[in-house]
């Protein structure tokens, strides 16, 4: 019993450290790629590590009340919880995570928990930019959640399971990635990913020059540190989930990093060549083609 | 073991290294010199490769870049902004106007020496300084941070009364909290 608890705790710590470092590196690479596209040299790939250390070693950080103090913590909790129920490698090897039947549905809830907690915290700062950012964020969430849920429901109907591990096992048994056996769900999910990552053209929440970075405009020092690290953990968790669901999981860390990096480059490269949408344009975009593909995926799952 | 002097030194070196290479700048475009900031940040001079990057709000910023002359009216806002920034924070005075008034030396409505109102860590002279000079200024600030000598905010806290007296001399209507950090 005790041994098992220790084993799982160890797994949680290892996956957290892995997700943190890989996620932060990806964010740094994102800045590098953006810079190269803009014909600049750009910061070194480890720039975001330095930023995080600097934010963590700020001497003061003021807050405007209990909810504001807890907001970044909610974000962190949501990121770590989603990381812990997403299997990192095939067959639960090396990183034991807490999967159970129905975790796909649980994941749908827990992934929206962090942003909601953050919204409460941003409301307490009394900063008008934060309030506008929060309303925009919720509107965007209403946009991309629809194709995303449709894609997941299609998978659940087609394979009659709500467990991520079962879906991974199906891919391992048939030898076909779900990306090919349910292509419409894959397309809808990828399009929903643009909204989840909030890179341009969907960076309407934290628009730096328009909203002064929105919900985080009053967060400095350690609060921003928590938000940045939770963002990188969450990015890795989401990419791993996509790899698990559609790209057949990964047998070792190298394959995992390769697959997640390819997935990550989709929103990044789409983002660097696009200006920012307005809120209603973004929502309309998500309720257009992505939802259509989601509907096709559900039809395909129920009738074929 | 954690709190002794030797390990503190190592922590300081790591922290100063990170601070030095990650300067988030709040470019407060007070004067005409602000027009040199966009070329410094974009492809030609690319300040981001040195870790210099724009910050959206005072809470997230490390460096307050005061670009040029300050009227007494903007000085009030600048003080407010400076006090909202989180420690450790640095100020760069940009252009001759912040040093001795520059070509506004006899103006009735601008302040002459920024150092009397806010603790300045680095000055960049020139009217207006070219982007090369701005980058040189950032390099100088990085040197000071690495050596642990960029302690303007400490000076400000210790000599707060002196700074406040100077500030109140030129700001007739002081409707601000006495401390707002
Ligand atoms: S130093 Fe020259 S360029 Fe800069 S604000 Fe003063 S007058 Fe303008």
């Amino acid at each position: 019993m005790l041994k098992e608890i220790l084993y799982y705790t160890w797994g949680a710590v290892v996956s957290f450290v892995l997700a943190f470092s890989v996620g932060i590196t990806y964010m740094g690479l994102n800045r590098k790629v953006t810079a190269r596209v803009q014909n600049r040299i750009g910061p070194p790939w480890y720039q975001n590590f330095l930023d995080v250390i600097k934010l963590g070693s700020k001497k003061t950080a003021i807050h405007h009340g209990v909810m504001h103090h807890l907001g970044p913590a909610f974000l962190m909790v949501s990121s770590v919880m989603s990381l812990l129920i997403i299997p990192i490698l095939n067959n639960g090897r090396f990183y034991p995570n807490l999967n159970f039947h129905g975790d796909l549905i649980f994941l749908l809830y827990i992934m929206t928990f962090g942003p909601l907690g953050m919204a409460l915290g941003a409301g307490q700062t009394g900063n008008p930019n934060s309030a506008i950012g929060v309303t925009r964020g919720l509107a965007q969430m209403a946009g991309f959640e629809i194709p995303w849920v449709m894609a997941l429901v299609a998978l659940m109907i087609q394979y009659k399971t709500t467990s991520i591990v079962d879906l991974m096992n199906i891919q391992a048994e048939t030898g076909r990635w779900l990306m090919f056996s349910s292509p419409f769900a894959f397309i809808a999910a990828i399009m929903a990913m643009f909204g989840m990552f909030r890179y341009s053209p969907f960076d309407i929440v934290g628009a730096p020059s328009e909203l002064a970075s929105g919900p985080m405009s009053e967060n400095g020092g350690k609060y921003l540190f928590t938000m940045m690290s939770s963002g990188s953990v969450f990015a890795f968790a989401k990419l791993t989930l996509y790899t698990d669901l559609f790209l057949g999981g990964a047998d070792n860390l190298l394959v995992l990093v390769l697959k997640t990096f390819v997935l990550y480059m989709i929103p990044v490269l789409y983002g660097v060549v696009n200006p920012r949408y307005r809120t209603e344009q973004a929502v309309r975009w998500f309720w257009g083609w992505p939802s259509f593909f989601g509907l096709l995926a559900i039809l395909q799952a129920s009738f074929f | 073991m954690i709190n002794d002097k030797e390990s503190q030194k190592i922590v300081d070196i790591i922290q100063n290294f990170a601070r030095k290479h990650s300067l988030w700048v709040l470019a407060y475009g007070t004067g005409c010199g602000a027009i040199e900031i966009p070329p410094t940040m974009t492809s030609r001079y690319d300040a981001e490769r040195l870790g210099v990057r724009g910050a959206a709000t005072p809470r997230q910023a490390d460096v307050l870049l005061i670009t040029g002359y300050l009227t007494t009216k903007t000085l009030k806002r600048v003080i407010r902004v400076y006090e909202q920034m989180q420690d450790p924070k640095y100020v760069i005075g940009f252009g001759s106007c912040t040093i001795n008034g520059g070509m506004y030396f006899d103006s009735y409505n601008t302040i002459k020496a920024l150092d009397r109102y806010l603790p300045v860590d680095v000055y960049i002279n020139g009217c207006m300084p070219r982007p090369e000079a701005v980058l040189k200024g950032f390099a100088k600030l990085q040197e000071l941070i690495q050596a642990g000598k960029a302690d303007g905010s400490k000076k400000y806290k210790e000599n707060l009364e002196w700074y406040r007296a100077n500030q109140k001399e030129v700001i007739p209507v002081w409707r601000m909290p006495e401390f707002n950090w």
Side-chain angles (χ1 to χ4, degrees):
Chain A
M1 184 64 200
L2 183 69
K3 217 174 149 200
E4 213 166 65
I5 291 175
L6 280 182
Y7 184 60
Y8 277 106
T9 321
W10 173 241
V13 171
V14 169
S15 17
F16 179 78
V17 171
L18 175 82
F20 177 74
S21 35
V22 176
I24 287 268
T25 312
Y26 280 7
M27 304 256 165
L29 288 176
N30 170 22
R31 282 170 73 177
K32 188 87 186 166
V33 168
T34 314
R36 291 310 293 159
V37 171
Q38 293 171 354
N39 203 5
R40 292 187 284 130
I41 294 173
W45 63 269
Y46 53 84
Q47 179 65 45
N48 274 33
F49 279 103
L50 296 177
D51 284 353
V52 161
I53 296 175
K54 180 212 66 182
L55 286 173
S57 59
K58 279 262 185 193
K59 286 190 194 124
T60 54
I62 70 140
H63 63 85
H64 299 276
V66 180
M67 248 350 268
H68 181 211
H69 185 72
L70 289 179
F74 275 124
L75 264 188
M76 195 54 155
V77 166
S78 141
S79 315
V80 173
M81 263 170 105
S82 7
L83 178 71
L84 289 191
I85 53 174
I86 295 171
I88 293 198
L89 291 184
N90 280 348
N91 313 323
R93 225 179 313 127
F94 196 42
Y95 299 111
N97 280 356
L98 312 166
N99 324 107
F100 53 91
H101 285 278
D103 48 6
L104 209 48
I105 295 174
F106 180 66
L107 203 63
L108 273 179
Y109 280 98
I110 204 67
M111 276 168 81
T112 56
F113 170 75
L116 287 181
M118 189 59 219
L120 283 178
Q124 203 184 24
T125 62
N127 189 323
N129 287 326
S130 306
I132 300 174
V134 165
T135 51
R136 285 182 173 201
L138 294 183
Q140 186 172 351
M141 219 184 216
F144 73 77
E145 284 283 314
I146 289 184
W148 169 232
V149 172
M150 276 174 159
L152 290 193
V153 167
L155 290 188
M156 291 177 203
I157 297 175
Q158 191 163 1
Y159 300 101
K160 302 201 171 42
T161 171
T162 52
S163 151
I164 304 173
V165 176
D166 281 357
L167 286 173
M168 290 167 79
N169 289 341
I170 288 168
Q171 299 180 65
E173 276 161 25
T174 57
R176 273 184 93 190
W177 293 355
L178 289 197
M179 181 179 150
F180 300 117
S181 37
S182 20
F184 296 123
F186 178 65
I187 295 174
I190 284 288
M191 285 173 132
M193 184 160 95
F194 290 137
M196 272 183 222
F197 272 100
R198 301 219 181 100
Y199 292 145
S200 59
F202 300 104
D203 56 347
I204 57 175
V205 181
S209 44
E210 192 184 344
L211 276 190
S213 74
M216 49 210 229
S217 57
E218 282 290 321
N219 292 301
K222 303 219 159 63
Y223 297 107
L224 204 56
F225 163 74
T226 317
M227 290 170 72
M228 250 181 104
S229 16
S230 115
S232 50
V233 171
F234 200 37
F236 181 76
K238 280 181 289 197
L239 291 170
T240 314
L241 177 67
Y242 273 84
T243 314
D244 287 348
L245 288 182
F246 295 106
L247 300 188
D251 285 323
N252 54 45
L253 284 181
L254 207 65
V255 177
L256 180 72
V257 168
L258 203 71
K259 282 180 179 172
T260 49
F261 187 71
V262 170
L263 275 175
Y264 182 65
M265 277 298 122
I266 298 174
V268 168
L269 291 181
Y270 186 72
V272 284
V273 291
N274 274 291
R276 186 183 308 134
Y277 278 154
R278 289 202 307 269
T279 315
E280 73 272 16
Q281 286 172 326
V283 174
R284 204 181 305 138
W285 193 88
F286 285 119
W287 288 354
W289 286 107
S291 304
F292 175 71
F293 280 117
L295 204 63
L296 277 189
I298 291 186
L299 290 180
Q300 183 215 9
S302 2
F303 297 113
F304 295 101
Chain B
M1 191 194 131
I2 305 265
N3 276 329
D4 65 2
K5 279 237 173 72
E6 286 304 309
S7 35
Q8 188 57 41
K9 239 183 232 161
I10 297 170
V11 172
D12 275 351
I13 289 175
I14 296 174
Q15 286 185 341
N16 283 342
F17 184 78
R19 277 174 195 149
K20 164 183 159 187
H21 285 291
S22 150
L23 296 171
W24 292 9
V25 179
L26 190 69
Y28 200 93
T30 53
C32 27
I35 201 69
E36 293 291 335
I37 300 301
T40 315
M41 293 293 182
T42 46
S43 355
R44 180 73 190 264
Y45 291 100
D46 188 22
E48 200 182 3
R49 72 201 140 95
L50 306 175
V52 178
R53 160 190 169 182
T57 65
R59 298 270 186 236
Q60 302 165 2
D62 308 304
V63 182
L64 181 57
L65 194 62
I66 299 198
T67 50
Y69 60 83
L70 271 176
T71 61
T72 47
K73 196 171 168 186
T74 33
L75 177 67
K76 191 169 168 182
R77 277 77 188 170
V78 166
I79 292 167
R80 196 78 206 265
V81 163
Y82 179 71
E83 291 179 357
Q84 281 180 8
M85 283 163 61
Q86 307 294 315
D87 256 354
K89 49 192 173 185
Y90 320 102
V91 178
I92 294 185
F94 180 110
S96 332
C97 280
T98 55
I99 302 174
N100 56 9
M103 66 187 241
Y104 294 92
F105 70 98
D106 58 352
S107 163
Y108 60 94
N109 202 28
T110 58
I111 58 156
K112 307 302 174 301
L114 179 60
D115 214 7
R116 282 168 56 80
Y117 308 96
L118 287 176
V120 182
D121 292 294
V122 173
Y123 282 115
I124 305 169
N125 70 352
C127 174
M128 42 189 62
R130 285 182 58 80
E132 291 98 328
V134 181
L135 292 182
K136 187 83 198 300
F138 278 117
K140 180 74 189 162
L141 181 65
Q142 289 184 335
E143 255 173 50
L144 289 180
I145 293 172
Q146 180 70 70
K149 282 189 197 141
D151 50 0
S153 61
K154 215 168 102 201
K155 228 179 359 180
Y156 189 68
K157 265 183 203 158
E158 281 165 5
N159 305 322
L160 186 68
E161 279 169 18
W162 185 77
Y163 281 113
R164 271 282 183 274
N166 287 343
Q167 290 163 0
K168 285 187 179 171
E169 221 169 79
V170 292
I171 300 177
V173 190
W174 182 275
R175 273 201 223 102
M176 293 202 285
E178 275 302 316
F179 302 98
N180 45 27
W181 52 73

